Structures are given as structure tokens and as C-alpha cells.
């Protein structure tokens, strides 16, 4: 955004109270315009509201110019989907470890040092059931997410945590002997 617009990036520590903030949710990105530290929509027909709308136009054009698709716009923000490559760009390996009843698996990523890009998945209950979910920890053992319903979703979340390229291929190596 900074390269394609003259708008201040509030996420980059800009001192301004007016600018944009960005949030991501897997393949979608949402750019929110904040004016004078507020998300309150300005009154229609005013110069300030025309500026607000023009900024959202600028954001929409900037996202479209870098191949984002499925644009959605409302009065406060613009969201768009990233183009997803057809081929995996990262490989994750899942290996079950510990006692069978521990429901614990280690995750490593091919080409990345385990001390900086790995983690673990642990079942968030006392046994497999339809309501069980997974807890994800990073290489240092800190929790980085919970509530995932599949190993694939949990590992994708861990990959996003590390900023690894997506999509990823998952190789389930089973239980370590």
C-alpha cells in the first residue's frame, strides 16, 4: 500500500491519527481507513466524506493493481482475496510423538530450521471426539492458536504465524517408532 499510495500506514508506527490499518484472514486482506483515530463514518455530502470515499477508491485500485481479486467494499474498508498459487510453495511434515493417549504431533517445515519454524499440535480435550479441537504452539512452546478442527487448518495457521509461503503441502509421517 505504501508504495502505491501516499496514505500513512498506521500499522507501521506512523505518528498520524489518520491512515489505514491492514488485517489478514488467511487468503483475504482487509484495509480499514481510520480518520482522526476514529472509524466513525463522516456525514454524507461533506468534503471530509468525499475525501474518505476517495481514499477507499485509492485503496481498491492499489489492491487490484497487485492482483488481489474478489474485491468487497463497504463504507469503512476494502477487502480482497489473494491469488492462490496452484502448486504448494511450502511443505509441512506432521509426526505423532509421545504416548498414544497424549494426542500430540510435531510439525516441521522443509527448508526451515526447526528452532525458528516448527511447532506442535495437541488435542484440546481428553480424547478424540467430534467436538475435539487442536491447540497450536510455536517452536518455543508458546501457544499461537486454538480451536482448529483439522490438522491442515492448524498447520496452515502455524505457517501463517511464521510468514511462510502458501499454499502448503502436508505430509503425515505417522507415528514415530
Amino acid at each position: 500500500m505504501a508504495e502505491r499510495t501516499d496514505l500513512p500506514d498506521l500499522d507501521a508506527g506512523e505518528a498520524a491519527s489518520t491512515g489505514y490499518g491492514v488485517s489478514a484472514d488467511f487468503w483475504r486482506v482487509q484495509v480499514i481507513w481510520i480518520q482522526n483515530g476514529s472509524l466513525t463514518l463522516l456525514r454524507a455530502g461533506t468534503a471530509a466524506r468525499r475525501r474518505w470515499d476517495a481514499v477507499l477508491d485509492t485503496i481498491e485500485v492499489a489492491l487490484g493493481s497487485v492482483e488481489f481479486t474478489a474485491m468487497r467494499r463497504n463504507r469503512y474498508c476494502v477487502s480482497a482475496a489473494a491469488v492462490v498459487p496452484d502448486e504448494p510453495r511450502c511443505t509441512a511434515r506432521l509426526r505423532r510423538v509421545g504416548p498414544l493417549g497424549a494426542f500430540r504431533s510435531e510439525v516441521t517445515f522443509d527448508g526451515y530450521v526447526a528452532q525458528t519454524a516448527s511447532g506442535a499440535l495437541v488435542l484440546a480435550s481428553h480424547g478424540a471426539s467430534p467436538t475435539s479441537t487442536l491447540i497450536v504452539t510455536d517452536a518455543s512452546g508458546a501457544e499461537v492458536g486454538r480451536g482448529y478442527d483439522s490438522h491442515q487448518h492448524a498447520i496452515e495457521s502455524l505457517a501463517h504465524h511464521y510468514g511462510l509461503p502458501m499454499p502448503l503441502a502436508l505430509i503425515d509421517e505417522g507415528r514415530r517408532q
Side-chain angles (χ1 to χ4, degrees):
M1 290 296 299
E3 296 171 4
R4 300 189 184 287
T5 69
D6 63 345
L7 305 172
D9 179 359
L10 298 179
D11 294 333
E14 292 279 339
S17 64
T18 298
Y20 67 87
V22 179
S23 63
D25 182 23
F26 287 96
W27 300 113
R28 292 195 69 78
V29 64
Q30 180 172 320
V31 182
I32 303 167
W33 182 244
I34 302 164
Q35 187 159 327
N36 297 325
S38 173
L39 292 173
T40 304
L41 188 62
L42 302 164
R43 203 173 81 229
T46 63
R49 174 66 177 272
R50 284 190 293 278
R51 166 78 172 131
W52 179 290
D53 291 337
V55 166
L56 289 177
D57 291 341
T58 301
I59 291 169
E60 192 169 10
V61 168
L63 287 173
S65 71
V66 289
E67 299 184 13
F68 278 87
T69 62
M71 299 283 186
R72 292 186 198 148
R73 178 176 169 174
N74 63 31
R75 294 179 187 163
Y76 302 95
C77 69
V78 178
S79 68
V83 175
V84 180
D86 292 333
E87 296 296 318
R89 298 177 54 213
C90 181
T91 301
R93 295 184 182 275
L94 179 68
R95 184 175 302 121
R96 283 156 187 73
V97 295
L100 188 59
F103 298 102
R104 181 179 174 80
S105 300
E106 290 179 346
V107 179
T108 57
F109 298 96
D110 289 1
Y112 295 90
V113 178
Q115 290 80 6
T116 57
S118 66
L121 308 181
V122 180
L123 202 61
S125 70
H126 298 293
S129 77
T131 60
S132 296
T133 61
L134 295 165
I135 299 172
V136 180
T137 60
D138 65 10
S140 68
E143 185 178 315
V144 295
R146 65 174 45 224
Y148 302 100
D149 61 351
S150 73
H151 287 94
Q152 182 76 32
H153 289 139
I155 293 168
E156 285 175 356
S157 174
L158 184 60
H160 280 290
H161 170 75
Y162 286 119
L164 302 181
M166 298 295 280
L168 65 82
L170 174 58
I171 299 172
D172 188 340
E173 296 182 342
R175 187 161 177 74
R176 196 182 280 170
Q177 301 300 326

